[in-house]
Amino acid sequence: MRKNIFTLLLAILTFSSCQLKLNYPPDSENNKNLNSLLTLMIGHNTLYLQDFILNPNEIDSITSSSSKLACKIDSNKMTATLDVSSNMEHFVNLKLWLKGIPYSVPCRKTDKIDYKFTFNPQGKTYKKVQILGQMNDWTASKTPDLKLNEKGIYEVSLNLSPGTYLYQLSLDGNQNSDPTNLNKVDNGYGKFNSILQVAGNNDKFPTLYTDKYGLSSITLSTNKDVNNVFVYWQNFLLPTKYLMVDKGKIMISIPAEAEKLGRSFIRVWASNDFGVSNDMLIPLEKGKVLTDSTEITREDKQAQIIYFALVDRFKDGDKTNDHPMNRPDVNHKVDYWGGDLAGIQQEIDNGYFKKLGVNTLWISPVNQNPIDPWGYYAPMKTKFSGYHGYWPISSSKVDFRFGTNDEFKGLVTDAHKKNMNVLLDYVAHHVHIEHPFYKQHPEWTTPLYLPDGTMNTEKWDEYRLTTWFDTFMPTLDLSNSKVVDMMTDSAMYWLKEFNLDGFRHDATKHITEKFWRELTLKIKKQYNGNKLYQIGETYGSPELISSYLTTGMLDGQFDFNVYDVANTTFAGVGGSNLQQVQTILNSSLYTYGSHNLMGNISGNHDKPRFMAYASGDLKFGEDSKAAGWERNIGITDSTAYDKLFLMHTFNLTIPGIPVIFYGDEIGLTGANDPDCRRMMKFEGWNNRETKLWKEVSKLAHLRSDNPVMIYGDFINIQATKDSWVYARKYFDKEVLVFINNSAKSRTIEVKLPDILKNTDYKSTFNHTFVIKNHSVSIELPAYSADILLSDLTIST
């Protein structure tokens, strides 16, 4: 027995001290961006080679690790055909060969199952029953109508991945929430969306955790036996000689080539008979595991904390460019208020963003908008100005009401000097009818009228690639290569001219994949193979959202599915609870990855402010847009500030990219657009606003100062309807997050999982806690949270 133990220890010591060479080019242009995980459907799949290889014509061949996956390069050399058998392994690896160098693409088999959805009409009969929701992207025609069975129940078979789906029913044309399902959330338009939960085998999948690291080695642990382990350094699958798997441990040797790159990554997946594990993403600094936050730079995408500034409503820094319309047919709420680039520049100079702890600015569109008002809101008899920036009439000029091109260049330059990124909100979907593109080439837009003579406006889902947002906003025909080339060149102009760090993209799902692939290819070619950060806006199913997330398109999108349930849960409206938040978050982590680049938003300029619901001034289920016009939405219940603190705690401690909507750091309120777009204020804060700002700042700095908050494993420990305990773990560093979403003080006590080893923690927000027998007991007031850290940095 002693001899066996000695032999194993000797093998481990020898393994960890031996650094092997791959003999592959570490700085290749095809090795700079991590090839994204693909989910393969049963049957035919198309692989867009340009997503992974800058010049697909250089590909010699494609091979697979599985005999159940047939793959061949198509004659056009731009795509490959992948045919997946139903009995294919859960995880496989593809290799794209270029002159003897194999670039790998990780792939997993779909987890979709057949699910029978039923609706009990409770004795009523209907001529037509349809389901619309995230399972069919809110388009009833994509799913067969429900049929009445012999038991008087309407039913339909759906092919779905396990997870959570929002939906409504159409009963003889009357569309609303499912009257038989009490689980629902407000949809923001005076109605509710029902919640469907589809169970799966995820609890049988293996889970990976970071364990130990050495000078040239990494050890992971797993909670279940695994059949296969796939380890990647950048886009190279490591041969088996780099791995040792034994009794729940996975030992990995870091290849010698990693020392030649400042930043590179080890990625790991494992599989068993039931499915695929969570993904591991371990950053390396010149070949060594990154553990020091000072080594993190603004180029590290996972480390971003984004702040969204709506230019006109942020700060008026230059009164000379104020040009409100001051017209009787334009309500003050939708006129220009004077915010400009000079105002943002002043707050960069004042250190506001640095003190808050954000490191990336997302700035609303700044290109020239119309001089005159457009549109009409009948209840208030008002037209609208283009204060928001989303009605472009120029593709190269900064709107004179916001500043000048030179001011914008200076702003970006100064932000970079302070180690901040700047993302520009780019509008590719449409132009205003006064834009020269439309005047000169109206044929470059989609038809305003459908073949049946009806107007194709606001048909968000049924005609999502052609619908106009309004009659004065022509949708560009981005199936036309000329239009794609024109608009991608326009985007590249803004990147290069102003030295931007990436984009937030408007209306992502209404734009063709052809556009996204062409733009990303141009970015890679411009920046020596590097891909700048791009985040999109898509309301829809996780499947639709993730269809835009590949190495050849976007990095992330805003996770509205998590936001919708978290927003109502922490605000205390709608009947949702923390167990539902946990379920939907788990679904997102599975779909997008445990180290995704999705945006976790505190709020949004197209939705009511969190504070309006949390304070009770905006009633759950009412028309939130009309409410903002008809009455003043204030803050009558100050506990709303505590509830918003919980929302920030959640966003800043889970995987993904935290996104702070301007004003949410102090608790601005407001109903739906335009009331949610009030002016930011920098002085005259009351005590609650000041306290919330300090708490958000502490959370943001905590995340930036501790790699465990950025790259750590996410571990659910215990969730009830109004409390939640979860952890982040990054090797020997651990974080425990406690949330009390209750109106009462309470003691939360949990048994820590064995994977968490530390016994010495300190509190971020100074609450009393006790650790004994590997259990933690903490006293939390109503609507409060705390973060316990093991040997980590807490900014004061």
Side-chain angles (χ1 to χ4, degrees):
M1 181 69 176
R2 289 182 178 178
K3 182 178 180 181
N4 291 338
I5 294 174
F6 176 77
T7 302
L8 177 61
L9 291 174
L10 182 62
I12 293 172
L13 181 63
T14 302
F15 178 85
S16 62
S17 63
C18 179
Q19 194 162 21
L20 305 172
K21 287 187 177 181
L22 280 170
N23 294 317
Y24 296 148
D27 55 354
S28 161
E29 63 183 14
N30 297 310
N31 200 39
K32 293 186 176 181
N33 306 289
L34 300 181
N35 286 343
S36 50
L37 174 69
L38 296 184
T39 297
L40 301 179
M41 301 295 114
I42 305 302
H44 178 80
N45 297 261
T46 298
L47 180 70
Y48 291 88
L49 299 173
Q50 178 185 287
D51 287 357
F52 309 101
I53 301 299
L54 207 56
N55 186 0
N57 288 317
E58 296 179 349
I59 299 176
D60 301 320
S61 60
I62 179 173
T63 59
S64 163
S65 64
S66 173
S67 61
K68 311 296 175 56
L69 172 60
C71 48
K72 67 174 183 179
I73 298 175
D74 299 329
S75 58
N76 61 17
K77 293 284 284 184
M78 298 301 293
T79 58
T81 298
L82 309 178
D83 286 310
V84 177
S85 300
S86 59
N87 61 345
M88 187 187 80
E89 300 89 336
H90 290 291
F91 195 98
V92 298
N93 183 66
L94 289 176
K95 288 184 177 180
L96 304 175
W97 292 86
L98 282 74
K99 300 177 181 178
I101 307 298
Y103 296 95
S104 287
V105 180
C107 306
R108 69 180 175 194
K109 185 173 68 174
T110 179
D111 63 345
K112 285 189 174 183
I113 58 175
D114 291 327
Y115 177 85
K116 182 174 286 186
F117 176 84
T118 61
F119 166 63
N120 186 345
Q122 298 177 338
K124 297 180 181 180
T125 57
Y126 299 94
K127 294 180 181 179
K128 195 177 187 67
V129 179
Q130 298 174 296
I131 186 170
L132 308 88
Q134 293 176 328
M135 66 285 294
N136 57 12
D137 295 316
W138 300 95
T139 306
S141 59
K142 290 184 178 181
T143 303
D145 294 352
L146 279 71
K147 300 300 182 184
L148 191 65
N149 64 22
E150 66 280 1
K151 297 181 180 180
I153 304 295
Y154 288 92
E155 62 182 24
V156 65
S157 293
L158 305 173
N159 189 238
L160 301 175
S161 293
T164 303
Y165 299 84
L166 301 180
Y167 73 97
Q168 293 183 344
L169 291 179
S170 176
L171 306 176
D172 288 341
N174 180 24
Q175 184 176 326
N176 214 321
S177 58
D178 184 342
T180 65
N181 185 350
L182 298 180
N183 292 324
K184 57 186 179 181
V185 294
D186 187 358
N187 71 354
Y189 298 96
K191 292 186 177 182
F192 296 90
N193 294 329
S194 299
I195 300 174
L196 172 67
Q197 180 64 42
V198 179
N201 290 322
N202 298 56
D203 59 332
K204 298 180 181 179
F205 297 177
T207 301
L208 302 181
Y209 306 97
T210 50
D211 190 2
K212 302 174 183 177
Y213 64 91
L215 290 177
S216 59
S217 66
I218 295 168
T219 301
L220 308 178
S221 59
T222 176
N223 67 338
K224 291 179 174 65
D225 291 337
V226 297
N227 300 336
N228 295 290
V229 177
F230 293 80
V231 180
Y232 299 82
W233 175 69
Q234 293 296 95
N235 294 324
F236 297 126
L237 178 68
L238 297 186
T240 54
K241 65 182 180 180
Y242 285 79
L243 314 179
M244 180 182 295
V245 181
D246 183 77
K247 296 180 180 179
K249 301 292 183 182
I250 301 170
M251 289 155 280
I252 303 163
S253 178
I254 300 171
E257 286 84 350
E259 296 179 352
K260 298 179 181 180
L261 297 184
R263 176 73 70 252
S264 63
F265 294 90
I266 292 288
R267 293 185 293 165
V268 187
W269 286 269
S271 62
N272 61 10
D273 292 337
F274 299 98
V276 180
S277 72
N278 56 310
D279 60 290
M280 289 278 101
L281 179 75
I282 302 168
L284 306 177
E285 173 70 17
K286 296 181 180 179
K288 304 293 187 293
V289 171
L290 185 150
T291 59
D292 187 344
S293 64
T294 61
E295 295 175 337
I296 296 175
T297 72
R298 64 184 183 87
E299 282 77 31
D300 286 303
K301 295 177 181 179
Q302 277 81 11
Q304 294 179 107
I305 299 177
I306 298 175
Y307 186 97
F308 172 41
L310 188 67
V311 177
D312 183 64
R313 304 298 167 88
F314 187 68
K315 186 178 183 181
D316 188 351
D318 181 2
K319 297 293 183 181
T320 64
N321 61 25
D322 291 359
H323 298 282
M325 293 186 174
N326 286 333
R327 293 172 46 150
D329 58 346
V330 177
N331 189 286
H332 175 68
K333 283 193 173 185
V334 290
D335 202 349
Y336 284 90
W337 285 8
D340 48 30
L341 295 173
I344 298 176
Q345 177 74 67
Q346 287 175 10
E347 291 311 313
I348 292 175
D349 294 340
N350 292 340
Y352 180 82
F353 302 109
K354 184 176 181 181
K355 294 172 187 174
L356 182 60
V358 300
N359 54 24
T360 300
L361 294 181
W362 153 29
I363 295 177
S364 58
V366 297
N367 40 333
Q368 186 66 50
N369 269 235
I371 303 300
D372 296 323
W374 291 82
Y376 189 70
Y377 183 63
M380 296 300 297
K381 299 180 181 180
T382 185
K383 295 181 180 180
F384 298 79
S385 75
Y387 71 93
H388 42 68
Y390 291 96
W391 298 344
I393 65 169
S394 170
S395 295
S396 59
K397 182 179 180 297
V398 170
D399 195 308
F400 65 89
R401 290 160 291 205
F402 296 155
T404 66
N405 286 29
D406 286 342
E407 282 183 287
F408 192 28
K409 289 179 186 177
L411 184 153
V412 176
T413 298
D414 287 350
H416 288 170
K417 289 178 181 178
K418 292 177 171 58
N419 293 316
M420 296 180 63
N421 296 317
V422 179
L423 309 178
L424 178 65
D425 203 323
Y426 185 73
V427 183
H429 168 265
H430 59 264
V431 293
H432 191 275
I433 59 174
E434 291 188 347
H435 198 295
F437 288 169
Y438 182 68
K439 290 182 175 181
Q440 296 168 14
H441 295 282
E443 73 278 8
W444 283 358
T445 63
T446 62
L448 177 57
Y449 291 91
L450 296 168
D452 64 3
T454 59
M455 193 174 288
N456 186 11
T457 56
E458 298 186 3
K459 297 183 184 294
W460 313 121
D461 301 303
E462 189 177 1
Y463 295 97
R464 67 179 176 86
L465 294 176
T466 60
T467 194
W468 288 31
F469 287 9
D470 210 326
T471 55
F472 57 88
M473 283 190 283
T475 293
L476 295 170
D477 181 7
L478 291 168
S479 66
N480 183 327
S481 296
K482 288 184 178 179
V483 181
V484 169
D485 193 50
M486 173 187 70
M487 291 306 294
T488 52
D489 280 350
S490 167
M492 291 304 299
Y493 164 81
W494 289 93
L495 276 184
K496 294 185 290 184
E497 181 71 10
F498 300 98
N499 197 23
L500 297 166
D501 302 290
F503 291 120
R504 178 269 187 183
H505 288 294
D506 187 53
T508 299
K509 76 174 184 180
H510 301 290
I511 297 172
T512 63
E513 292 183 7
K514 182 177 184 178
F515 172 87
W516 300 123
R517 286 195 160 91
E518 182 65 21
L519 174 58
T520 303
L521 178 64
K522 287 183 177 180
I523 290 174
K524 288 180 180 178
K525 288 182 176 180
Q526 175 66 31
Y527 296 97
N528 300 315
N530 290 304
K531 179 184 176 186
L532 302 184
Y533 183 68
Q534 298 182 86
I535 186 168
E537 174 207 37
T538 292
Y539 294 90
S541 66
E543 184 174 359
L544 175 65
I545 292 169
S546 62
S547 69
Y548 293 94
L549 306 181
T550 79
T551 311
M553 292 195 283
L554 304 184
D555 297 280
Q557 300 218 55
F558 300 123
D559 199 337
F560 290 112
N561 297 320
V562 168
Y563 166 78
D564 284 340
V565 67
N567 178 61
T568 55
T569 298
F570 289 118
V573 296
S576 53
N577 60 65
L578 288 177
Q579 290 174 328
Q580 292 173 339
V581 180
Q582 179 194 30
T583 298
I584 294 178
L585 177 61
N586 288 345
S587 177
S588 279
L589 295 179
Y590 179 79
T591 301
Y592 312 121
S594 298
H595 298 85
N596 64 71
L597 293 168
M598 298 287 286
N600 298 316
I601 61 175
S602 66
N604 179 271
H605 57 303
D606 295 322
K607 290 180 175 288
R609 290 271 186 176
F610 178 97
M611 291 292 289
Y613 279 134
S615 68
D617 292 82
L618 183 64
K619 305 305 178 185
F620 185 62
E622 72 171 310
D623 187 330
S624 58
K625 186 179 287 287
W629 286 103
E630 295 168 358
R631 67 180 190 270
N632 179 45
I633 304 296
I635 301 175
T636 56
D637 183 353
S638 64
T639 60
Y641 291 99
D642 300 322
K643 296 176 182 179
L644 183 51
F645 163 66
L646 295 185
M647 183 72 172
H648 284 300
T649 299
F650 173 69
N651 281 341
L652 284 154
T653 57
I654 63 174
I657 309 299
V659 183
I660 299 173
F661 180 34
Y662 83 95
D664 280 348
E665 71 270 35
I666 60 171
L668 282 188
T669 191
N672 208 337
D673 165 24
D675 195 38
C676 60
R677 304 173 180 183
R678 300 181 185 184
M679 201 72 179
M680 177 60 184
K681 59 179 184 177
F682 295 94
E683 55 188 21
W685 294 349
N686 62 40
N687 291 337
R688 296 308 304 267
E689 291 168 332
T690 300
K691 179 175 180 287
L692 179 61
W693 190 94
K694 290 180 178 179
E695 290 169 334
V696 175
S697 175
K698 178 170 279 193
L699 287 167
H701 285 286
L702 184 72
R703 185 181 182 94
S704 297
D705 292 342
N706 297 285
V708 62
M709 302 289 285
I710 301 168
Y711 299 107
D713 320 322
F714 184 79
I715 304 169
N716 278 304
I717 298 177
Q718 175 181 290
T720 68
K721 290 185 176 182
D722 55 13
S723 69
W724 195 359
V725 184
Y726 54 85
R728 303 295 301 272
K729 181 182 188 307
Y730 186 65
F731 299 103
D732 60 331
K733 307 300 183 185
E734 297 171 1
V735 170
L736 304 177
V737 180
F738 293 82
I739 294 175
N740 176 19
N741 193 37
S742 163
K744 297 180 179 180
S745 299
R746 63 171 46 191
T747 300
I748 299 176
E749 184 170 353
V750 293
K751 181 76 173 176
L752 297 180
D754 292 339
I755 195 66
L756 299 176
K757 306 296 186 184
N758 282 291
T759 58
D760 185 17
Y761 293 90
K762 55 185 176 181
S763 167
T764 303
F765 293 103
N766 302 317
H767 294 113
T768 301
F769 69 95
V770 176
I771 298 180
K772 186 177 181 181
N773 298 327
H774 211 56
S775 293
V776 180
S777 176
I778 187 168
E779 304 282 343
L780 288 181
Y783 302 120
S784 68
D786 205 347
I787 302 170
L788 306 187
L789 307 101
S790 66
D791 188 29
L792 299 176
T793 300
I794 301 178
S795 298
T796 57

